[in-house]
Amino acid sequence: MSDDLLIEARDLSVHFPIRGGGLFGPAVVVRAVEGVNLDIEKGSFFGLVGESGSGKTTLGRALLKAAPISRGSVQYNDGEVQHDLTKIDGKALKDYRSRAQLIFQDPYAALSPRMTVRDIIAEPLEVMGLTSSREETDERVREIAAKCRLNLEHLRRFPHAFSGGQRQRISIARALVSGPRFVVADESVAALDVSIQADVLNLLKEIQQEMGLTFMFISHDLSVVAHICDHVAVMYLGRLVESAPTRELFAAPRHPYTKALLSAIPSLDPDAPNIAQKLEGEIPSPTNPPPGCKFQTRCPYATDICRKEEPKLEHSSGEHEVACHHWQDLMD
């Protein structure tokens, strides 16, 4: 594993067995994440995009050791410690919990209405035993609250007294109070107004640079990803179909699915022609994915090889990777 990488995943798969066909039906497997290879550099803002149901959240939770890893390997190395997430447990898992944290999507459901803001932010410190006294805990809470633009008066209140943007800042403070190195932000601005989104995104970027954090930013909003992320991976039906530095991905997308997603971004010019590429149909079921390329049921360029053989993620240029049999033919 390279010293520049914080996370290195190889052939990562997450499967969930469920009961199918009624109470006594045969068991089936939901292949939420299948054969993902992923490198996340230290100090980067890594974006993960795709439609709902593509497996983004499950992948993020697997990297946090919050979803079961069915196959493959995930290595974590922040320079101080190194963990193999497929084998980690006990004390090592507790240590990893303090180093890898999650910012939830819904700022209203993520906070207990019966706890003050101070207690909400302090809870990870107390549960993990990271402080030795109440005074030390309070000092850590005040420090991280200030970074997240919360004042001392806010710490005495309950969540119902705050707006959505303020609640999300409380969630961010709770995630950061343990001093993590890796943070997964799962649709963390999707429930906020556009003006508040910009404020929270700028806050995340400032905190990342100040604390030297590595973020995985999960989103379905490509305009948000373009604003904040250094590198973007596109996910479809549990697989990565394209990965590239943000500027390169937006300037020269290779995969038909990525092209369709980018074409759907609204233009600020009211006179601009509508060039959105309509995708027919829905994402196939992860319990019964189609053979060959998983996008072939919706792809206008699919041929016989797409229906028989699954494409592998391959380098097209530099750090740009794509999984498509015909990406060279589709280049503009």
Side-chain angles (χ1 to χ4, degrees):
M1 180 176 180
S2 171
D3 291 338
D4 295 332
L5 298 180
L6 184 78
I7 298 283
E8 182 183 77
R10 293 293 178 266
D11 195 30
L12 173 61
S13 299
V14 179
H15 299 164
F16 298 103
I18 62 172
R19 182 66 61 185
L23 182 61
F24 301 104
V28 296
V29 175
V30 177
R31 301 178 183 275
V33 177
E34 187 71 20
V36 167
N37 294 323
L38 192 67
D39 293 332
I40 301 179
E41 293 186 0
K42 294 175 183 176
S44 67
F45 225 109
F46 189 95
L48 185 64
V49 301
E51 294 171 287
S52 297
S54 60
K56 306 185 301 297
T57 294
T58 303
L59 176 57
R61 290 178 179 270
L63 297 181
L64 293 173
K65 192 59 178 177
I69 297 173
S70 305
R71 189 182 70 241
S73 67
V74 182
Q75 301 292 329
Y76 169 89
N77 180 13
D78 64 15
E80 296 179 0
V81 300
Q82 184 169 352
H83 292 303
D84 182 347
L85 299 192
T86 59
K87 302 176 182 178
I88 193 173
D89 59 11
K91 185 178 179 180
L93 179 58
K94 185 177 180 180
D95 174 71
Y96 185 65
R97 292 277 185 247
S98 69
R99 296 173 180 272
Q101 285 288 315
L102 173 67
I103 301 173
F104 293 94
Q105 173 179 350
D106 188 348
Y108 292 90
L111 306 178
S112 172
R114 295 179 175 85
M115 298 174 68
T116 64
V117 171
R118 181 268 172 200
D119 292 339
I120 289 172
I121 298 175
E123 187 175 24
L125 298 175
E126 296 167 346
V127 171
M128 298 176 189
L130 299 177
T131 52
S132 56
S133 65
R134 183 179 179 87
E135 290 74 18
E136 185 181 355
T137 299
D138 286 341
E139 183 179 351
R140 292 276 292 274
V141 169
R142 288 193 295 268
E143 179 183 352
I144 200 64
K147 290 182 185 295
C148 296
R149 304 173 190 167
L150 299 168
N151 59 44
L152 293 179
E153 177 61 28
H154 290 153
L155 299 179
R156 293 190 285 268
R157 299 179 184 174
F158 289 87
H160 72 266
F162 297 92
S163 66
Q166 290 172 318
R167 292 189 191 202
Q168 196 59 291
R169 290 203 294 272
I170 296 169
S171 295
I172 293 170
R174 179 179 59 184
L176 300 181
V177 74
S178 64
R181 299 291 182 270
F182 178 51
V183 178
V184 175
D186 186 9
E187 298 277 11
S188 55
V189 298
L192 306 177
D193 293 340
V194 174
S195 59
I196 306 301
Q197 283 186 8
D199 182 62
V200 172
L201 290 173
N202 291 333
L203 173 63
L204 290 177
K205 196 67 176 178
E206 290 173 11
I207 289 175
Q208 183 229 5
Q209 294 172 349
E210 183 178 347
M211 300 179 66
L213 302 178
T214 303
F215 272 85
M216 170 180 269
F217 188 81
I218 299 173
S219 180
H220 66 276
D221 189 337
L222 284 165
S223 58
V224 170
V225 169
H227 172 72
I228 197 170
C229 293
D230 311 314
H231 194 101
V232 181
V234 182
M235 199 166 189
Y236 183 82
L237 200 63
R239 293 156 175 83
L240 295 188
V241 297
E242 190 163 6
S243 178
T246 305
R247 288 181 179 273
E248 187 173 344
L249 184 84
F250 278 74
R254 302 280 192 261
H255 198 280
Y257 180 60
T258 309
K259 291 175 180 282
L261 292 179
L262 292 176
S263 73
I265 299 176
S267 173
L268 296 177
D269 183 0
D271 297 323
N274 184 4
I275 57 173
Q277 300 177 24
K278 185 178 180 181
L279 293 177
E280 301 290 343
E282 299 179 354
I283 298 179
S285 170
T287 62
N288 186 29
C293 176
K294 307 312 171 189
F295 187 59
Q296 51 102 346
T297 58
R298 305 172 70 193
C299 180
Y301 309 105
T303 60
D304 287 341
I305 190 174
C306 303
R307 301 181 183 95
K308 297 176 182 177
E309 186 177 325
E310 184 173 355
K312 304 298 182 183
L313 202 64
E314 62 181 61
H315 287 275
S316 64
S317 62
E319 298 181 60
H320 201 146
E321 296 179 301
V322 60
C324 177
H325 291 299
H326 303 300
W327 68 266
Q328 291 175 308
D329 301 328
L330 302 178
M331 289 180 62
D332 295 331

